[in-house]
Amino acid sequence: MVIEVRNVTKRFDTFTALHGLNLQIQPGELVALLGPSGSGKTTLLRVIAGLEFANEGQILFDGTDAGGRHVGERRVGFVFQHYALFRHMTVFENIAFGLRVVPRQRRMSDSDIKKRVNSLLSLVQLDRLADRYPTQLSGGQRQRVALARALAIEPRVLLLDEPFGALDAKVRKELRRWLRRLHDDMGLTSIFVTHDQEEALELADRVVVMNQGAIEQVGTPEEVYDSPATPFVYEFLGNVNRVPCRIENGKVSLWGVDVAAETHDGATLPAGETAGFAYVRPHDIELLPAGQGEPAVVRHVAAAGPTARIEVSVQGVQPLIEAQLSRKRYLDLGLKVGQQVAIAARAARVFPASASPGPPAGPAGL
Amino acid sequence: MGRINPITERRGLRAGLIAASLLYILLFLVLPVVTVFTEALGKGFGGYFTAINDPAARSAIKLTLLTAAIAVPFNMAFGIAASWAIAKFEFRGKSVLITLIDLPFSVSPVISGLIYVLLFGAQGILGPWLAEHDIQIVFAVPGIVLATIFVTFPFVARELIPLMQEQGTEEEEAARSLGADGWQTFWRVTLPNIRWGLLYGVLLCNARAMGEFGAVSVVSGKIRGLTNTMPLHVEILYNEYNIVAAFAVASLLAFLALVTLVAKGVLEWAYGHELGGARA
């Protein structure tokens, strides 16, 4: 089903949570709404579901306005962040709920309900837990019950609010792959909310990056990671070095590369010299023996795993710069803490300081 | 110097504190209850049953049961509605409503009763209109029921508001998203989640409804056999120096209190985690 968000604005009292958003989601897509807390991603999901209503704008399902219909009539499967399982019902009854509340003339027979619930139970691999209560389940099991319950009503769209937020790392990875397979097998159109960029980039067909109630960028994981449209996207997608620099006549020369400065909103760059920030990914940084470029000092080395993460200090740059080297390169250089080296950049993007969203909230490591 | 455990008192002090509280409970709680039952049986079981079987006593028991039978369901319905509104929705004047619900706790029952006399009594604001239409509220059963409803108004709501606030609205939203309408959501999700808290509130409400003295005493007029509830009847018998009969009726109220206490204890023990944060 095609879902279209058209000019949607949502206000809570004096606070505007969504500023005139536009977004189109194609049938069969798995889309991630990615952003920090307070960016409006959950509000957008709830407006699409019909749990909240927009003050302005429309939500269209296959071209028809869903505005007048509340959540029960939109046939959306909604999986809540904390699952919201009915605590006084067994797993079986939780999943059967959506089938039992159908008006009598359209309701399935008890035996059909039983059949459907049992097939959903085996779909989410919980056959043996049908008689348990939610409190007797682990986080991952509750998550799957919530999913089965949402799927029972044969939704046209599956909406998931932070679906893996409350799970530990290992379960999270497993469930993620499982959800991707389920989405593909059932031919669903799905939207999920997350603040975890790794999750969004790994799982989604397209990522919608949100900030302060607005959409910063929409694109495939490669697009948003390789060519972030704004400084915010650069910083939120993490693992980037932000280097203050001077832009002269629209150009910056940084560690051996010349970069043209750009603005994300089409504004013209101020003439002459102005302050800016260069964004350099750690894997676009090369370390060389001392004397072959801008001098730097190795401050910290984390070499476990396939790549080595080296932190170096560069004169006049705060904080430390992170470089990512292949294991082989790291061994060839024989890097030690305190060693003098030279730093070079292979690629960088430069934005004027006025476009920058302010100091980063801290390293959001991959 | 021996080792000092920082989180516990010396043994002597501990024993002293326990003894003091036990003595206190014995003196002020256990002894009076025992007295009620021994005095009631002062003339043996025969005297006890004669006192309870007295027509005036029976009418008082009936009136008390009737009053509770009206007031408790009323306040149960109101309590659920009010806590539902307060816990699940945001609206203007919410804090005013919460304060109003607590009002009967902060006003002396005698004054509550007096308000009804001033409103519905012969000299009251609505008195002439009521007299014209031949409706009697004060010094009649309706007044007693109204006063009881007022006094027992907060019990159910006070019990449910924190419980429902703690449970939030996610389960209701889930039910709605699965296609349930408002009624189905209430009966299948909200009500089962608050059932033990509700029962607890109803028990307390009922105990107070049957035991209320102050407010009822003002509006009742104490017409024997007509507008006397059990607590009022006890007072009248006592003032007539009919000690055995007074304590016999009182023993019924004490018995009710004990049953309530036990039921409350069982509920707390078995379903404490479902009774809301304040009590878990």
Side-chain angles (χ1 to χ4, degrees):
Chain A
M1 193 175 66
V2 182
I3 302 166
E4 201 184 337
V5 175
R6 205 182 273 174
N7 268 319
V8 163
T9 294
K10 173 70 186 171
R11 281 183 289 269
F12 296 103
D13 291 330
T14 55
F15 170 70
T16 305
L18 302 174
H19 297 273
L21 299 193
N22 287 291
L23 180 66
Q24 195 162 34
I25 290 158
Q26 300 305 321
E29 264 193 314
L30 179 54
V31 170
L33 303 180
L34 174 67
S37 57
S39 60
K41 54 194 193 303
T42 294
T43 305
L44 177 58
L45 192 78
R46 290 171 61 88
V47 169
I48 294 172
L51 288 166
E52 307 276 0
F53 289 94
N55 297 90
E56 287 159 37
Q58 293 172 300
I59 303 290
L60 300 149
F61 283 6
D62 274 339
T64 50
D65 189 357
R69 287 181 290 157
H70 70 71
V71 59
E73 297 162 330
R74 290 192 189 185
R75 265 188 63 205
V76 293
F78 199 99
V79 178
F80 291 82
Q81 186 176 2
H82 303 292
Y83 320 131
L85 297 178
F86 306 126
R87 64 195 94 185
H88 61 285
M89 292 183 202
T90 61
V91 166
F92 184 96
E93 283 306 318
N94 261 283
I95 298 174
F97 186 89
L99 305 172
R100 294 209 197 279
V101 294
V102 171
R104 185 163 296 140
Q105 56 274 28
R106 287 192 285 119
R107 198 183 304 158
M108 306 166 109
S109 69
D110 270 1
S111 61
D112 284 347
I113 289 179
K114 198 165 177 205
K115 250 183 254 164
R116 167 83 71 80
V117 174
N118 282 330
S119 78
L120 283 163
L121 277 169
S122 63
L123 177 74
V124 297
Q125 298 150 17
L126 291 173
D127 314 65
R128 285 174 301 118
L129 302 181
D131 297 323
R132 297 272 188 94
Y133 284 88
T135 49
Q136 300 168 309
L137 302 178
S138 71
Q141 290 167 339
R142 283 181 211 180
Q143 168 70 283
R144 283 183 279 156
V145 175
L147 207 56
R149 184 178 67 176
L151 292 173
I153 59 169
E154 300 189 309
R156 303 183 291 175
V157 189
L158 190 59
L159 304 174
L160 307 105
D161 187 5
E162 296 274 4
F164 314 107
L167 303 172
D168 60 58
K170 188 172 180 302
V171 180
R172 192 184 288 205
K173 276 226 156 94
E174 277 171 23
L175 260 180
R176 213 189 273 169
R177 297 204 184 104
W178 178 80
L179 180 70
R180 177 75 233 196
R181 271 205 313 278
L182 188 81
H183 167 90
D184 293 336
D185 292 349
M186 299 190 72
L188 288 163
T189 305
S190 311
I191 306 175
F192 71 100
V193 158
T194 182
H195 62 266
D196 179 345
Q197 32 110 1
E198 184 193 351
E199 199 166 283
L201 295 178
E202 187 190 307
L203 190 56
D205 296 320
R206 277 200 304 156
V207 178
V208 177
V209 185
M210 295 184 65
N211 180 35
Q212 297 184 346
I215 292 175
E216 293 267 336
Q217 187 175 7
V218 182
T220 64
E222 291 85 350
E223 280 165 7
V224 294
Y225 190 80
D226 292 338
S227 28
T230 67
F232 173 83
V233 178
Y234 243 124
E235 295 194 358
F236 191 72
L237 287 185
N239 246 29
V240 70
N241 295 297
R242 179 174 181 262
V243 186
C245 58
R246 303 297 305 173
I247 303 172
E248 283 171 61
N249 298 319
K251 277 205 153 96
V252 170
S253 184
L254 179 79
W255 304 341
V257 286
D258 288 322
V259 193
E262 45 196 316
T263 54
H264 66 284
D265 47 10
T268 49
L269 275 169
E273 191 182 305
T274 166
F277 289 103
Y279 291 92
V280 193
R281 296 271 186 218
H283 55 248
D284 284 330
I285 287 181
E286 180 65 284
L287 294 182
L288 305 162
Q292 298 186 16
E294 180 90 13
V297 181
V298 176
R299 294 296 178 195
H300 187 253
V301 174
T307 59
R309 279 176 51 242
I310 320 291
E311 284 177 2
V312 300
S313 60
V314 178
Q315 184 85 47
V317 178
Q318 284 286 337
L320 296 178
I321 301 295
E322 185 183 332
Q324 210 174 346
L325 304 184
S326 72
R327 194 168 175 77
K328 180 168 184 310
R329 180 76 188 143
Y330 159 72
L331 291 173
D332 286 351
L333 284 168
L335 294 176
K336 300 260 177 332
V337 173
Q339 190 176 337
Q340 300 278 340
V341 291
I343 188 168
R346 275 187 288 261
R349 298 265 304 275
V350 174
F351 295 91
S354 54
S356 172
L366 263 176
Chain B
M1 288 286 279
R3 278 190 309 152
I4 296 167
N5 186 339
I7 56 159
T8 178
E9 311 297 340
R10 265 172 302 133
R11 188 172 290 197
L13 183 58
R14 236 191 306 169
L17 281 171
I18 292 172
S21 22
L22 280 180
L23 191 71
Y24 189 86
I25 291 173
L26 195 74
L27 209 63
F28 288 96
L29 290 175
V30 179
L31 214 57
V33 174
V34 172
T35 312
V36 168
F37 286 101
T38 45
E39 289 286 341
L41 295 169
K43 288 187 189 163
F45 281 98
Y48 182 81
F49 286 114
T50 319
I52 288 176
N53 255 328
D54 174 69
R58 277 172 53 181
S59 130
I61 294 171
K62 259 191 232 161
L63 182 58
T64 293
L65 291 177
L66 174 75
T67 307
I70 298 171
V72 172
F74 238 90
N75 281 333
M76 185 168 120
F78 165 79
I80 293 172
S83 32
W84 166 280
I86 287 168
K88 314 263 172 179
F89 300 100
E90 290 302 323
F91 54 90
R92 256 172 233 279
K94 189 159 149 173
S95 54
V96 177
L97 181 58
I98 296 175
T99 312
L100 280 179
I101 287 173
D102 277 345
L103 190 67
F105 274 169
S106 46
V107 172
S108 156
V110 176
I111 294 173
S112 322
L114 214 56
I115 292 167
Y116 282 94
V117 174
L118 291 175
L119 260 181
F120 302 120
Q123 320 299 325
I125 300 165
L126 299 172
W129 186 87
L130 289 170
E132 225 169 83
H133 292 80
D134 210 17
I135 302 170
Q136 193 170 11
I137 291 182
V138 173
F139 308 135
V141 176
I144 293 171
V145 173
L146 281 176
T148 306
I149 288 177
F150 180 83
V151 172
T152 58
F153 189 73
F155 285 95
V156 175
R158 283 285 295 241
E159 197 55 47
L160 292 185
I161 289 169
L163 178 62
M164 283 171 120
Q165 274 174 337
E166 185 185 281
Q167 291 181 345
T169 54
E170 269 206 339
E171 284 184 49
E172 278 83 6
E173 283 185 342
R176 298 285 286 183
S177 81
L178 292 166
D181 60 31
W183 260 139
Q184 287 172 319
T185 304
F186 177 75
W187 286 108
R188 288 167 183 259
V189 176
T190 307
L191 198 59
N193 273 341
I194 58 166
R195 58 195 158 174
W196 300 117
L198 180 64
L199 186 55
Y200 189 97
V202 163
L203 269 176
L204 295 181
C205 180
N206 182 58
R208 182 67 190 271
M210 292 191 172
E212 175 55 28
F213 179 84
V216 169
S217 143
V218 176
V219 295
S220 132
K222 296 176 191 163
I223 307 162
R224 198 183 280 223
L226 276 180
T227 64
N228 256 356
T229 60
M230 283 163 76
L232 300 183
H233 190 61
V234 171
E235 193 211 14
I236 289 176
L237 292 172
Y238 187 77
N239 287 343
E240 289 170 351
Y241 301 104
N242 196 344
I243 305 296
V244 169
F247 276 104
V249 178
S251 74
L252 292 178
L253 283 171
F255 181 70
L256 169 78
L258 289 177
V259 169
T260 305
L261 210 63
V262 170
K264 186 168 154 285
V266 169
L267 273 180
E268 274 173 11
W269 169 74
Y271 302 103
H273 58 288
E274 289 181 41
L275 289 176
R279 211 154 269 109

